[in-house]
């Protein structure tokens, strides 16, 4: 199963794509969509088109995105919410949402872990040698969180195991709770 994780941002949106095979997770691609426009509408369009291209190239089956974290500045939270909305529309896939605390708990084992700890564990879990950009590492952590959550739900029988598909056209999304 191929999963895309998104770390939305109004200036930099991180993405990470992994393939899961049981307990094994393989890094496929990761990076950042850097927003260059000043116009808010154009910025959202850049997020949308950037993610559409990535999805077209890798054809993930499911997506996971980080929830909006409310800072003290409501204007920043609104901009982040808009970027997140553009990403969700671009994904057009079954989407799971996770809080930053859930992602950190899943990847590091501690919900208040620092960014450096998350980056280190992402590198370890995906057996990567190169240093990851912070936003790309966060997006990979979101994808890993979804993979771990999905595997746990499969083990207790809440959702069925993903069956191998012959073709993308045969894919039917499963409903998860």
């Amino acid at each position: 199963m191929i999963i895309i994780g998104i770390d939305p941002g109004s200036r930099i949106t991180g993405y990470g794509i992994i393939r899961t095979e049981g307990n094994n997770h393989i890094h496929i691609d990761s990076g950042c969509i850097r927003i260059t426009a000043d116009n808010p509408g154009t910025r959202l369009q850049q997020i949308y088109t950037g993610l559409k291209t990535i999805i077209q190239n890798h054809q993930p089956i499911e997506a996971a995105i980080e929830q909006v974290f409310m800072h003290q500045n409501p204007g920043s939270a609104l901009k982040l919410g808009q970027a997140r909305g553009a990403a969700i529309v671009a994904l057009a896939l079954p989407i799971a949402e996770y809080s930053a605390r859930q992602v950190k708990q899943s990847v590091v084992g501690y919900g208040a872990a620092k960014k450096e700890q998350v980056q280190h564990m992402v590198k370890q879990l995906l057996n990567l040698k190169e240093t990851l950009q912070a936003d790309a590492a966060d997006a990979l952590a979101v994808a890993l969180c979804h993979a771990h959550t999905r595997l746990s739900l499969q083990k207790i029988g809440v959702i069925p195991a993903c069956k191998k598909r012959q073709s993308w056209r045969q894919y039917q999304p499963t409903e998860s709770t």
Side-chain angles (χ1 to χ4, degrees), residues 15 50 60 68 126 172:
Y15 68 90
V68 174
L126 295 173
Q172 296 292 318

Side-chain angles (χ1 to χ4, degrees), residues 3 5 18 20 25-26 64 106-107 121-123 125-126 137 139-150:
I3 299 171
I18 62 171
T20 63
H25 309 296
I26 298 126
S106 176
V107 174
M121 284 307 297
V122 166
K123 279 180 65 175
L125 290 169
L126 295 173
L140 285 167
V142 172
L144 286 166
C145 176
H146 181 63
H148 294 160
T149 302
R150 190 172 216 304

Side-chain angles (χ1 to χ4, degrees), residues 3-108:
I3 299 171
I4 183 169
I6 304 293
D7 178 35
S10 60
R11 289 290 177 187
I12 300 173
T13 292
Y15 68 90
I17 302 168
I18 62 171
R19 185 175 73 236
T20 63
E21 297 171 355
N23 287 330
N24 297 324
H25 309 296
I26 298 126
H27 175 261
I28 294 176
D29 190 19
S30 58
C32 297
I33 300 168
R34 297 189 185 280
I35 312 309
T36 57
D38 289 329
N39 178 309
T42 307
R43 273 191 259 162
L44 298 176
Q45 186 67 36
Q46 287 179 332
I47 293 169
Y48 176 85
T49 55
L51 284 175
K52 278 303 225 189
T53 301
I54 293 161
I55 290 165
Q56 189 174 32
N57 290 340
H58 298 290
Q59 300 187 349
I61 293 174
E62 290 185 358
I65 192 165
E66 193 171 60
Q67 292 175 339
V68 174
F69 175 72
M70 183 61 180
H71 291 285
Q72 292 180 358
N73 184 346
S76 295
L78 285 171
K79 288 177 187 174
L80 181 58
Q82 291 170 344
R84 193 171 170 277
I88 288 170
V89 171
L91 291 169
L93 295 166
I95 300 170
E97 301 177 48
Y98 299 98
S99 69
R101 183 171 289 280
Q102 286 174 304
V103 172
K104 291 173 182 178
Q105 178 70 39
S106 176
V107 174
V108 179

